[in-house]
Amino acid sequence: MIRGLFPVLISGMVLGGLAAVGSQPLAAQTGTISGRVVSAETGQALASADVFVVGTVRRSLTDVDGGFSLGMPPGTYTVRARLVGYQAAEQQVSVSAGATATVEFRLQAGAVIMDELVVIGSRTQRSVLETPVPVDVIPAFELREAGHTEVNQILATAAPSFNASYQTIADGSDHINPASLRGLGPDQVLVLVNGKRRHQSALLHVNGTFGRGTVGVDLNAIPPAAIERIEVLRDGASAQYGSDAIAGVINIVLKDQTQHIEANGMAGVSGGYAPMLSTEGRRRDGEQVRTDVNFGFPFGDRGYVNVTGEYFNIERTNRSDPWQGDIFPGISGTAATDAELTRLGLTRDDFSMKTGQGAATGGMIFYNAAAPLGESAEFYSFGGVSHRNGAATGFYRLPNQEARVVPEIHPNGFLPEIHTELQDRSFTAGMRGATAGWDLDLSVTHGGNSLQFNIENSDNGSMGTSSPTTFDAGRLHFTQTTGNFDAVRLLNTGGALRSLSLVLGGEFRVENYRIDAGEDASWQLGNGGSRPGIDFDTTASGAPKEPGSQVFPGFQPSNEVDRFRNSISAYAGLEIQATDKFLVDVGGRFENYEDFGNRLTGKVATRLEVSPEFAIRGALSTGFRAPSLHQIWFNNVSIQFLLVGGSLEPVRVLTSNNQSRVTKAFGIPDLKEETSVNVSAGFTARPLNNLSLTADFYHVRIDDRIVLTSRFDNADPIVAGILQPFARDGVGAAQFFANAVDTRTNGVDIVAAYETSAGPGTLTLQGAANLTDTEVLRINIPQAVADTFAGGDLNAVANTIFNREERNRLEDALPRVKGSFSARYAVDRFTFKARGTYYGSIEYKPPAAADDETFGAKTLFDLDVGYELRQGVRVSVGGTNILNTFPDRHLKPSNYSNGRFPFSRRVTQFGMNGGFYYARLQLTL
């Protein structure tokens, strides 16, 4: 409790000090820059234009009359005005103390592409093309027209360097997608909301999906209707923002509009799937219903409140084929099994796995607000809560699986379900203002995420007929409190430089990770836990039946943890606009974590404008990622289906926390931070006002990358000896977190945009491509592991630490090539949006090379057509993947697994749902 209150109290005192500054009259200390922004052609006022002082964070949006006002200390400044669709203009303005300098900007019309101001990539105001590192901006209308209903999937469509797909048969990962930027891991991208660090999920991905061993941010806990735009910084940024920003930064900017109420309703369904053996034709499933409302209202002189509410219901999809293997005890062979099915009035479809997207129902409420505090400061706050109930299935427990089925309860076996309850909350409060030439921003953010596991339609085989069929299997929690102080000062260089800005800041963070145990029946052996002498149900051979709830054994009391961690950091930098054409950013950051020590990172970035139409840019930085509390302290016993003798068999796998005696007995050392070197170089071009092009090469070297090791099998007598205390839990293997590999990622991002008049309307064309390649350079084998299991021979244990399937997840599980091209035409009340997205081939490489498979490249097509029936009423119809394209099917029998997995669940290009078709109604009042 004290750990959580201490930073809040300190920040409260600092915020109170800024409030006092903001309430003092500063007329004698500052002057004012005020004026209007109008159209050069018509003289009409331009509302919502950005007016800002170069080299600072000071910015004003023009009102409906085109007016703006900026308070500044005495001096001479470069003031710029810009509005998308117009050419930017700037003027030199001198300000005297207590006086007002008046200026008018007359903007020339012209479809200037990619000219939006961005929050990330710089501490001062810059546009997309002015930043020395690449930044994508995805505006609200593109979010709406993407056809997807969740942020992860919208980003995967709109940003080729971002990948995220629904997972299946992966426990909690069915409900929180592991996502990737530039081919790196879910935990190697930092997520901000309104420029403030967002907390991670409580879930650690530990099953066999991409991102295994990582923890990311649940982007789908943020309603798309609350988002004004999404900014994606595609470059290492640890020196600016701290841990996690190795691949880049995603900043979600919330809406602040106060002009109207907007309500949306959407309903849709997937194109379905035709199972190979089904006689019922194509299954149509995956129905979705979503409704949201966003509204805002002003108060006071510059205050506002914007609120968004959303409700959604997503039904599951089924992409399994009917089960093709044996089903009943004592009956083998296809003919005999089919005869028994006929006698019982059942079909093989009744034993389908139902792989595919899980079901989800939930609601979210978000807000964004600000209130002025005198003339030079404001209070701001934003945040929200979300609640999501999910349902997904595991492996079917067949009647002939004696150790896992209680026939008196489930005579025909059962398909166990994992029902999750996801709760997410966040709250930020802060103050920003200006005093004595400094722009200051002080804030505190608190957020948390929890995941409850409820197991339905299952049993604890070892309890026999006394077993329940539903189980509380435990809960995961993660909370984070962050305090930030940011300061920017425009320094006077006497005209030697166009602008020189000093940026300073600091951050503290308090994190808490907790595991709560499930009910006894979810993990115990028999009716009395694992105590000697307690009766348990047995198989015909006399061996005990499987303990715990089938599909997901509950967390045990011995798994419970409640761990805190503090960190503190400070950063400084100079943003040097040497001339109109040459920019240099330099910065450094020092971080201290109480559980592993210190880390110093730095960055230098530059941009040189060769001509008004062409500029080159580049950056060199070091970065790091601290091991998450999840990776240090997670521990449990899980059921994982592994390939044994050509078929998938359940194995109980122990994941032991990094500090446990078991982990040390295996020779695994303490986790330390990942370190990285990022190099990027590219260019921006604007041959025409309505045409822009950017291309950027990147190289990312990561050392001591944290992964979840391959499994140590108790077929090894040494392993069996160490795992002996877990024998009554049926544990057959163990895995651990370790700084096990060094990797290198090379790639290129290309983005182009063009906008022009086409007849009576406007045509916008956009294209983007990402080419990326990740290679494992080295497996870092702890000497103690080699000493324990191979007499000191490092190479002999390399495959146990990191086998070819784990390497496959890092190198081949995502497309190395991804590209998209879209065309949007708008005329009067009509809009038409079409997009094609190309996904390159991927490979699956399981432990046995004979089962390798390659899944070929695919192109998916999306369509959205909208029409405004009357003012404020708009209807849209469309679809994503309108041709209902699926990935290539498995061809190897061991991967297909008797119909369980027509499509790979280990590697994925774009998921396995097929097409989705929808209708949407939008009301604006």
Side-chain angles (χ1 to χ4, degrees), residues 695-753:
D696 295 275
F697 162 80
Y698 57 92
H699 166 88
V700 186
R701 167 71 185 254
I702 306 175
D703 290 339
D704 298 316
R705 192 162 172 175
I706 299 172
V707 299
L708 191 53
T709 67
S710 305
R711 299 157 192 90
F712 291 77
D713 194 318
N714 68 357
D716 183 327
I718 300 175
V719 174
I722 300 174
L723 296 182
Q724 181 58 39
F726 303 93
R728 291 179 67 86
D729 292 323
V731 169
Q735 59 188 15
F736 311 93
F737 287 93
N739 296 94
V741 294
D742 300 340
T743 65
R744 178 184 62 210
T745 300
N746 292 326
V748 177
D749 288 319
I750 303 171
V751 180

Side-chain angles (χ1 to χ4, degrees), residues 483-516:
N484 289 101
F485 166 67
D486 301 297
V488 179
R489 184 181 179 92
L490 183 63
L491 303 178
N492 185 357
T493 65
L497 300 172
R498 184 168 184 263
S499 70
L500 175 62
S501 299
L502 172 65
V503 297
L504 301 169
E507 178 182 281
F508 65 76
R509 199 156 72 246
V510 179
E511 299 172 329
N512 174 232
Y513 178 64
R514 196 169 92 233
I515 300 176
D516 294 339

